[in-house]
């Protein structure tokens, strides 16, 4: 837990001051690959997990091997390492979190600028009856939106693994940069986590079952008002 907080703090510190205060993820739920790459649906029948799997399965034999997982990590690393210096530095990490995959930000709907007051509808009116009760409810809802209370957070809401920030989590020496060696090592470790049968290969049906289990578990998290936790992702609107 301490490690996750430390990684999240380092990632937030890297956000440039000129970045927008409110960053909204896309309305439709993406699939975020084990290495952090978002795959977004283009229509109601688009299978985003399959999109990633077929891309990573380089020889198209229907199974994903460790070598293919590492090769796919190399490809995604190259897209994030925009200055091609062999490292995803803090600015490139901030670009990933704010532009490439803003969906992973657990505070994307609640973060305010320093010194900015809450909206008038959320302020406590000490002269109005039950004002403090409303403030407590507001704080509870804000905590729920941050994933406090056991729910999945960040990229884990859209992924196969419970890793809130998949790119920053690869920084094992905590120097605020992710080298290609670290990214490859993370790919190996994550493949081994997914390969629970230790067969050295992954199938699409195996990963589909895992993703369904993750989303089922997330949907069972309830808020105080007994509404299902919808942060696993909003479905495509009917007819689109």
């Amino acid at each position: 837990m301490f490690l996750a907080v430390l990684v999240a703090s380092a990632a937030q510190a890297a956000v440039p001051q000129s970045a927008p205060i409110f960053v909204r993820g896309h309305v439709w739920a993406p699939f975020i690959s084990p290495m952090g790459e978002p795959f977004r649906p283009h229509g109601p029948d688009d299978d985003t997990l399959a999109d990633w799997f077929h891309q990573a399965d380089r020889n198209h034999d229907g199974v994903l091997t460790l070598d293919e997982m590492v090769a796919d990590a190399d490809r995604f690393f190259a897209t994030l390492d925009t200055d091609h210096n062999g490292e995803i530095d803090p600015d490139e990490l901030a670009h990933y979190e704010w532009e490439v995959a803003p969906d992973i930000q657990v505070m994307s709907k609640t973060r305010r600028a320093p010194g900015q007051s809450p909206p008038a509808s959320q302020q406590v009116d000490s002269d109005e009856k039950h004002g403090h009760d409303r403030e407590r409810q507001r704080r509870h809802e804000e905590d729920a939106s941050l994933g406090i209370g056991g729910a999945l957070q960040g990229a884990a809401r859209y992924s196969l693994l419970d890793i809130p920030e998949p790119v920053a989590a690869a920084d094992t020496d905590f120097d605020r940069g992710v080298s290609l060696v670290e990214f490859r090592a993370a790919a190996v470790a994550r493949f081994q986590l997914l390969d629970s049968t230790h067969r050295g290969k992954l199938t699409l049906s195996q990963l589909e079952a895992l993703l369904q289990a993750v989303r089922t578990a997330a949907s069972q998290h309830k808020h105080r008002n007994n509404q299902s936790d919808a942060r696993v992702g909003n479905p495509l609107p009917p007819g689109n």
Side-chain angles (χ1 to χ4, degrees):
M1 185 67 181
F2 175 78
L3 177 60
V5 171
L6 184 60
V7 170
S9 299
Q12 288 182 11
V15 175
Q17 293 298 317
S18 60
I21 296 302
F22 293 99
V23 175
R24 302 284 182 174
H26 290 253
V27 175
W28 301 343
F31 168 72
I32 294 183
S33 78
M35 299 309 298
E37 183 175 11
F39 288 78
R40 308 185 189 284
H42 301 291
D45 299 321
D46 195 4
D47 186 339
T48 48
L49 169 58
D51 290 342
W52 167 70
F53 184 89
H54 294 312
Q55 171 186 279
D57 178 17
R58 297 167 71 89
N59 63 0
H60 307 294
D61 65 350
V63 296
L64 183 63
T65 64
L66 175 58
D67 288 344
E68 288 173 326
M69 179 94 160
V70 172
D72 194 60
D74 285 356
R75 178 198 54 77
F76 185 47
F77 182 94
T79 68
L80 298 178
D81 180 21
T82 55
D83 61 6
H84 310 296
N85 70 343
E87 180 178 82
I88 301 171
D89 60 34
D91 287 339
E92 290 164 338
L93 185 60
H95 175 75
Y96 166 72
E97 295 172 349
W98 289 78
E99 302 295 337
V100 177
D103 319 75
I104 73 172
Q105 295 188 38
V106 296
M107 297 182 67
S108 61
K109 293 185 178 180
T110 59
R111 181 174 178 174
R112 292 188 291 269
Q116 180 181 353
S117 299
S121 62
Q122 294 183 351
Q123 292 180 349
V124 176
D125 185 356
S126 59
D127 298 328
E128 187 175 344
K129 187 178 180 179
H130 307 309
H132 290 289
D133 290 338
R134 287 200 307 275
E135 175 65 8
R136 283 195 296 270
Q137 176 65 17
R138 181 191 69 77
R139 289 180 179 176
H140 170 77
E141 292 173 353
E142 182 169 291
D143 286 349
S145 74
L146 298 178
I148 297 174
L152 296 174
Q153 299 182 29
R157 295 171 291 178
Y158 314 104
S159 187
L160 296 162
L161 298 171
D162 189 2
I163 305 176
E165 214 293 23
V167 177
D171 176 21
T172 53
D173 62 6
F174 304 105
D175 65 351
R176 300 184 65 205
V178 180
S179 69
L180 180 56
V181 171
E182 288 177 314
F183 210 62
R184 285 174 173 170
V188 172
R190 294 171 195 181
F191 180 90
Q192 292 171 343
L193 286 172
L194 295 172
D195 183 23
S196 58
T197 60
H198 307 293
R199 295 188 303 165
K201 58 184 179 181
L202 302 169
T203 65
L204 180 57
S205 60
Q206 176 185 351
L207 297 180
E208 287 173 339
L210 177 58
L211 185 61
Q212 182 59 44
V214 169
R215 291 186 172 178
T216 298
S219 68
Q220 292 173 350
H221 177 75
K222 302 288 185 179
H223 297 297
R224 181 177 294 176
N225 60 4
N226 285 329
Q227 295 296 315
S228 295
D229 182 358
R231 287 171 296 133
V232 170
N234 299 322
L236 286 166
N240 286 4

